[in-house]
């Protein structure tokens, strides 16, 4: 059983993850990134999120430690690095995104 201090720390981590997921654009970005690495221009085209909002939301995800970047020439690529975020996204996908769900 976790101590009170450990529970408080875990609750803080969970709260931070849920806060990052609570914005619809960030959630869509993470859902797309759960399929692999994408450059910013691909994300803009696929999701219809335009600059500067796209950069702002990606910056928040990076600041929260959910995504990492890789530069290739002028292109910046993003990928999910948080296993916790991926686990939550899998549940959300099963509950809300599978065909046949209402």
């Amino acid at each position: 059983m976790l101590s009170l201090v450990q529970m408080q720390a875990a609750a803080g981590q969970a709260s931070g993850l849920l806060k990052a997921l609570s914005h619809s654009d960030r959630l869509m970005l993470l859902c797309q990134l759960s399929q692999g690495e994408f450059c910013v221009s691909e994300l803009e085209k696929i999701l219809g999120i335009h600059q500067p909002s796209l950069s702002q939301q990606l910056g928040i995800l990076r600041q929260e430690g959910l995504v990492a970047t890789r530069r290739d020439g002028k292109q910046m690529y993003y990928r999910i690095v948080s296993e916790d975020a991926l686990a939550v996204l899998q549940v959300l996908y099963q509950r809300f995104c599978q065909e046949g769900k209402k």
Side-chain angles (χ1 to χ4, degrees), residues 38-96:
F38 292 88
C39 71
V40 173
S41 59
E42 291 172 320
L43 292 169
E44 184 176 20
K45 184 177 181 180
I46 292 167
L47 300 175
I49 303 170
H50 301 291
Q51 299 286 351
S53 180
L54 179 63
S55 292
Q56 179 183 22
Q57 301 311 325
L58 287 168
I60 292 169
L61 293 173
R62 191 166 69 178
Q63 181 180 355
E64 293 296 321
L66 303 181
V67 299
T69 61
R70 174 181 67 86
R71 182 176 290 280
D72 185 11
K74 293 183 178 182
Q75 292 291 335
M76 183 69 76
Y77 289 84
Y78 285 82
R79 69 186 182 286
I80 295 180
V81 294
S82 169
E83 290 183 24
D84 292 334
L86 278 173
V88 171
L89 288 167
Q90 287 175 343
V91 172
L92 291 173
Y93 180 84
Q94 289 172 350
R95 300 293 300 171
F96 294 100

Side-chain angles (χ1 to χ4, degrees), residues 2 5 8 15-16 21 37 49 72 74 85 90 96-98:
L2 295 177
V5 172
Q8 289 171 329
S15 177
L21 294 175
E37 183 180 71
I49 303 170
D72 185 11
K74 293 183 178 182
Q90 287 175 343
F96 294 100
C97 300
Q98 289 183 336

Side-chain angles (χ1 to χ4, degrees), residues 15-48:
S15 177
L17 175 59
L18 293 172
K19 183 178 177 183
L21 294 175
S22 69
H23 190 280
S24 61
D25 285 348
R26 288 193 297 266
L27 186 55
M28 287 185 1
L29 283 164
L30 287 170
C31 285
Q32 186 62 45
L33 291 172
S34 72
Q35 304 304 305
E37 183 180 71
F38 292 88
C39 71
V40 173
S41 59
E42 291 172 320
L43 292 169
E44 184 176 20
K45 184 177 181 180
I46 292 167
L47 300 175

